[in-house]
Amino acid sequence: MMREFVVEADGGSRGNPGPAGFGAVVRDAATGETLAETAEYIGTATNNVAEYRGLIAGLRAAHAIDPAARIQVRMDSKLVVEQMSGRWQVKHPGMRPLAAEARTVFPAGQVGYEWIPRERNKHADRLANEAMDAGARGGQWQPPDRPAAPVAETADSAAAPAASEVVLEPGPIAESGAAVTAGEAERRTPPVGWAAPADLGTPATFVLLRHGETALTPQKRFSGSGGGDPELSPAGRRQAEQTATALAARGTIQAVVSSPLRRCQETAGVVAARLGLDVRVEEGLRETDFGAWEGLTFGEVRERYPDELTTWLGSSKAAPPGGESFAAVTRRVSAARDRLIARYAGRTVLVVTHVTPVKTLVRLALGAPAESLYRMELSAASLSVVAYYADGNASVRLFNDTAHLR
């Protein structure tokens, strides 16, 4: 005999968009017994995104118990119920991937949807609020019989798998001299990545997207802001579409900012169109001007400009012939960062830019030395995330993530 479950789900956002969470409960339809509870703080998101995330979590919890069960979903979200029932179209591009994901958990014939008033959805509502309360305390919701666990450090804790939630793996940057003495560490503010005090509020979060490939990218040629303005290649346009799909599914991006160069504006335009947002151009995000080296490979530069290359590799203040030094790039990127932090305080913004600006923002957030720029690898259309708190601290939450391109 086929088992029957009731899934009650809810989600909320304190700000819409703002700090958000969801809750869901699975009950035995015959006895009313609670079989499973789930809740999660998901960072900054809208009410609708949180509600959809609650639905998906509830369906998955039911599926884990019995994938052959018949499911009756009950929610107080008229939007989600009508859209999932097929009576309303899913018009918002950010909702479509979530609705599609919900439909993949069970075959359509096994799931029914019912709208209920809020007072009949108190259990799921309570779980969602518990999740948001836990997030405000710097923690993550856990069932009552277990102690609370810390929130994983990600741009959107509901969107990225645990493997991507590491702040940054030890490697070349750590070996480059970025370590501080014990005395210096004692004098510093406790790093946000370890323990973010609740009173710091919601950070300004930069989701840093390197543009998609151009014809020069696979050839590893210097491509800055002084040697033409290449467009995306067909591969680069596919990467932009893949990124747009992934970010729409997360539903956390609230604004899009781009470098003025074409390859970034094309990438940003694809994502912004999917999210229903406009693109704001920030001049300070343009790539380094590589001067006479524009269009050349590293090997060609080493052959034609051996002395200049040696000097450039040895000092961030050195510039390619007719170009721009990394020290100069740092000054303008820092100024752009400060403008964006002020403009998007407490919000999550997609920043579409280039290799050097992304590396510079990560380096500055880590307090790493200038030479660390040479020790980071950054792939085309990769995502990195830095959060900026009100006390001036910054937290690197993700670096060079390309999982959305696979």
Side-chain angles (χ1 to χ4, degrees):
M1 180 177 177
M2 180 179 289
R3 299 178 71 184
E4 295 187 6
F5 297 152
V6 172
V7 171
E8 297 169 358
D10 199 11
S13 172
R14 294 171 178 171
N16 197 32
F22 64 75
V25 57
V26 182
R27 302 184 189 278
D28 185 288
T31 66
E33 177 189 0
T34 297
L35 303 177
E37 289 181 329
T38 183
E40 188 171 350
Y41 172 69
I42 61 173
T44 301
T46 65
N47 281 327
N48 290 339
V49 166
E51 289 163 346
Y52 261 112
R53 301 294 305 213
L55 168 62
I56 293 167
L59 290 173
R60 286 177 174 166
H63 190 275
I65 299 171
D66 187 350
R70 186 179 300 279
I71 310 299
Q72 183 68 16
V73 175
R74 296 173 179 167
M75 299 181 68
D76 59 59
S77 171
K78 187 74 169 176
L79 176 77
V80 174
V81 168
E82 294 299 317
Q83 288 180 342
M84 292 303 298
S85 298
R87 292 185 289 269
W88 291 2
Q89 292 183 350
V90 186
K91 295 182 178 180
H92 194 288
M95 298 297 105
R96 290 174 190 152
L98 296 172
E101 184 177 354
R103 292 189 180 102
T104 65
V105 181
F106 284 96
Q110 285 180 229
V111 184
Y113 289 88
E114 175 187 355
W115 177 86
I116 57 175
R118 180 170 296 276
E119 57 268 21
R120 290 179 54 197
N121 203 28
K122 289 183 179 179
H123 192 154
D125 177 74
R126 172 174 57 80
L127 293 173
N129 278 285
E130 287 178 0
M132 288 184 278
D133 291 342
R137 295 191 299 268
Q140 187 59 274
W141 182 90
Q142 292 289 339
D145 59 342
R146 287 194 282 143
V151 176
E153 283 292 336
T154 63
D156 172 15
S157 58
S164 299
E165 293 172 0
V166 178
V167 172
L168 203 61
E169 292 184 356
I173 295 176
E175 297 167 359
S176 67
V180 297
T181 67
E184 289 172 327
E186 289 174 0
R187 293 192 297 271
R188 290 189 173 187
T189 303
V192 171
W194 285 102
D199 60 0
L200 289 183
T202 304
T205 302
F206 290 5
V207 179
L208 305 170
L209 170 60
R210 185 191 170 192
H211 61 80
E213 286 187 9
T214 71
L216 300 178
T217 307
Q219 302 174 32
K220 296 187 180 297
R221 295 184 179 275
F222 282 90
S223 180
S225 58
D229 196 2
E231 64 183 1
L232 292 180
S233 65
R237 286 189 285 275
R238 286 193 299 273
Q239 291 169 339
E241 292 286 355
Q242 290 173 301
T243 306
T245 298
L247 292 177
R250 297 184 185 187
T252 57
I253 301 299
Q254 297 166 268
V256 180
V257 177
S258 173
S259 155
L261 299 184
R262 180 189 303 178
R263 51 197 183 272
C264 284
Q265 291 207 54
E266 288 180 344
T267 304
V270 170
V271 178
R274 183 74 62 87
L275 300 179
L277 298 172
D278 295 326
V279 178
R280 185 185 187 108
V281 173
E282 169 55 63
E283 290 290 333
L285 295 174
R286 69 183 185 277
E287 181 59 288
T288 309
D289 184 345
F290 292 110
W293 300 352
E294 294 278 359
L296 302 180
T297 65
F298 189 87
E300 290 169 341
V301 170
R302 184 169 50 201
E303 180 180 339
R304 302 179 195 181
Y305 301 92
D307 295 337
E308 293 90 341
L309 179 62
T310 299
T311 302
W312 182 70
L313 292 173
S315 172
S316 64
K317 297 180 180 179
E324 185 180 24
S325 70
F326 282 157
V329 173
T330 298
R331 287 192 292 272
R332 66 171 166 80
V333 169
S334 297
R337 174 202 61 194
D338 293 345
R339 288 192 294 271
L340 294 177
I341 290 174
R343 184 178 298 135
Y344 299 106
R347 304 176 70 191
T348 299
V349 55
L350 180 68
V351 178
V352 186
T353 183
H354 310 264
V355 170
T356 310
V358 172
K359 289 183 178 181
T360 297
L361 289 167
V362 170
R363 177 183 79 78
L364 293 173
L366 292 172
E371 59 265 28
S372 63
L373 288 176
Y374 301 108
R375 303 188 180 193
M376 299 185 209
E377 182 73 21
L378 199 70
S379 304
S382 63
L383 292 168
S384 303
V385 178
V386 181
Y388 298 93
Y389 288 83
D391 67 346
N393 262 310
S395 175
V396 176
R397 297 182 169 188
L398 192 69
F399 182 72
N400 196 35
D401 179 24
T402 58
H404 56 287
L405 302 178
R406 302 189 188 116

